[in-house]
Amino acid sequence: MNRRTLVISPNWIGDAVMAQPLLQILKQRHPGRPIDVLAPPSVAPVWRAMAEVDSVLETPFRHRALQLRERWKYAKVLRARGYGDAYVLPNTLKYALIPWLAGIGERVGYKGEMRYGLLNVMHHDDTPPRPMVPFYAALAQPPGAPLPATLPRPKLVVDAARIDALCARLGIARGRALVVFAPGAEFGAAKRWPPAHFAALAKAIMQADPEAQVVLLGSPKDKPVCDEIGAALGTAGVFNLAGATRLDEAIALIARAAAVVSNDSGLLHIASALNRPVIALYGPTDPDHAPPFSDLASSMSLRLACSPCRQRECPLGHQDCMQKMSAEMVWHELRPMLAQSR
């Protein structure tokens, strides 16, 4: 029996997407070795959209809780699955405990929270930090070894029949351009492009193409922002689905999109991994740290002197990095993308 590989997922959607090239490298190296992923339920649908993944196991642990007894019990379940190696992507000690308790022979990851002994193939973080794709892909190499000159791009796959069925159920018409907006950002309000700007961009799209459809996607936390955008539009062809779709459904809708306009968020990286045309809006975060990889992509940042500050709230109180990025500027980038995607 082929031994299996275990990958322990990060807790963030975008990080999980950007870890996907690591799986491509592992699968190329050992095509017959099944790869399982242990992931939080909130992130699991992303891994299910990766062709390299054999099984997705959902973590039964509470967020931020050590739950040592529960981890020991779960490690016994993992031990029975016959893993030969494990890649621990979160930097916390509690996730490194799991493969150690499970007796997995090779345990790979970054030092993180002083995880000596728990990991026996230990990598060290770079200073300054590397972009996220090479950061995770480096775990496939011996510690300190150089990466290949080119790395695979993140890639997700969605069944076309599933996309069609979902669009039919939601009333999204085939043969008409679909533009997805992702106005939320889990990190904090500073990363959000203003709702009024999103609404103005939607009006520009519909003025140029009255048949266009705009979908607002996000988690339940993003619903107030999406409601504000929807109220400013109030027109046919706008679907406010924030908080009304599961993550696997959001992935399928993005796969259907002619273009995606998104803050620096998990949905941005999903769109990139589905190779959809993407406008990525960066304010307090670094556009070079986690850029989109689509064939058609524009990373927009005003690159003000005060950014990237990486703060959840604007420390200067004005949020100029987002406020001064006008709808007209974004439309200038989006319009040729839509023309090309048609």
Side-chain angles (χ1 to χ4, degrees):
M1 182 181 72
N2 287 322
R3 65 175 187 164
R4 307 178 75 87
T5 290
L6 178 68
V7 173
I8 300 182
S9 169
N11 290 318
W12 299 98
I13 290 169
D15 284 12
V17 172
M18 288 181 284
Q20 196 272 344
L22 167 64
L23 275 67
Q24 293 188 51
I25 296 169
L26 296 176
K27 182 57 75 171
Q28 289 166 6
R29 190 172 296 166
H30 301 288
R33 184 179 298 175
I35 299 174
D36 293 349
V37 177
L38 179 62
S42 60
V43 180
V46 173
W47 295 101
R48 292 192 177 102
M50 297 182 189
E52 296 78 12
V53 176
D54 186 74
S55 299
V56 178
L57 313 172
E58 295 191 8
T59 55
F61 315 118
R62 296 191 305 275
H63 184 53
R64 298 185 184 278
L66 180 59
Q67 294 183 279
L68 186 58
R69 182 184 296 274
E70 288 79 3
R71 289 175 197 273
W72 179 77
K73 289 180 180 178
Y74 197 73
K76 291 174 66 178
V77 175
L78 296 179
R79 185 186 292 265
R81 293 180 67 86
Y83 294 107
D85 53 357
Y87 293 80
V88 185
L89 305 191
N91 276 335
T92 57
L93 183 143
K94 61 180 181 284
Y95 278 109
L97 276 170
I98 296 168
W100 179 73
L101 290 169
I104 298 173
E106 186 173 304
R107 304 179 301 277
V108 184
Y110 285 97
K111 181 182 73 171
E113 293 180 344
M114 299 297 290
R115 302 187 293 184
Y116 294 102
L118 298 179
L119 302 178
N120 55 13
V121 181
M122 184 173 287
H123 293 247
H124 294 268
D125 295 358
D126 292 317
T127 304
R130 271 185 286 195
M132 295 304 294
V133 166
F135 176 77
Y136 287 125
L139 296 177
Q141 308 292 112
L147 280 167
T150 58
L151 292 171
R153 298 193 302 188
K155 184 178 181 181
L156 303 180
V157 291
V158 184
D159 181 69
R162 175 172 175 74
I163 298 170
D164 289 344
L166 178 62
C167 289
R169 178 167 65 82
L170 295 173
I172 295 171
R174 297 182 64 181
R176 293 169 57 186
L178 177 68
V179 181
V180 168
F181 287 176
E186 187 70 23
F187 177 80
K191 285 175 70 171
R192 296 184 188 131
W193 201 43
H197 290 13
F198 271 110
L201 180 61
K203 290 175 182 177
I205 292 168
M206 292 178 172
Q207 184 175 1
D209 179 5
E211 294 295 304
Q213 303 166 103
V214 173
V215 167
L216 310 177
L217 289 181
S219 71
K221 292 180 183 178
D222 302 321
K223 192 174 185 304
V225 172
C226 291
D227 286 347
E228 186 176 343
I229 298 168
L233 295 170
T235 58
V238 177
F239 298 81
N240 182 359
L241 301 179
T245 53
R246 303 188 309 268
L247 180 56
D248 61 315
E249 294 172 328
I251 293 171
L253 287 170
I254 290 170
R256 159 74 170 77
V260 177
V261 181
S262 178
N263 299 326
D264 181 10
S265 68
L267 294 183
L268 163 65
H269 301 296
I270 286 171
S272 173
L274 290 165
N275 199 23
R276 305 318 304 142
V278 170
I279 301 286
L281 309 174
Y282 295 90
T285 54
D286 184 354
D288 299 324
H289 185 63
F293 293 89
S294 304
D295 292 340
L296 285 176
S298 176
S299 296
M300 299 193 64
S301 171
L302 298 181
R303 296 188 183 269
L304 303 180
C306 56
S307 64
C309 69
R310 300 180 179 85
Q311 300 298 310
R312 291 180 178 270
E313 303 289 341
C314 177
L316 302 177
H318 52 56
Q319 204 196 5
D320 281 354
C321 60
M322 287 303 218
Q323 292 284 350
K324 292 186 175 180
M325 189 186 301
S326 68
E328 291 78 10
M329 294 168 65
V330 177
W331 177 233
H332 179 76
E333 295 289 318
L334 178 61
R335 187 169 193 165
M337 281 189 185
L338 290 174
Q340 189 168 341
S341 68
R342 283 197 292 270

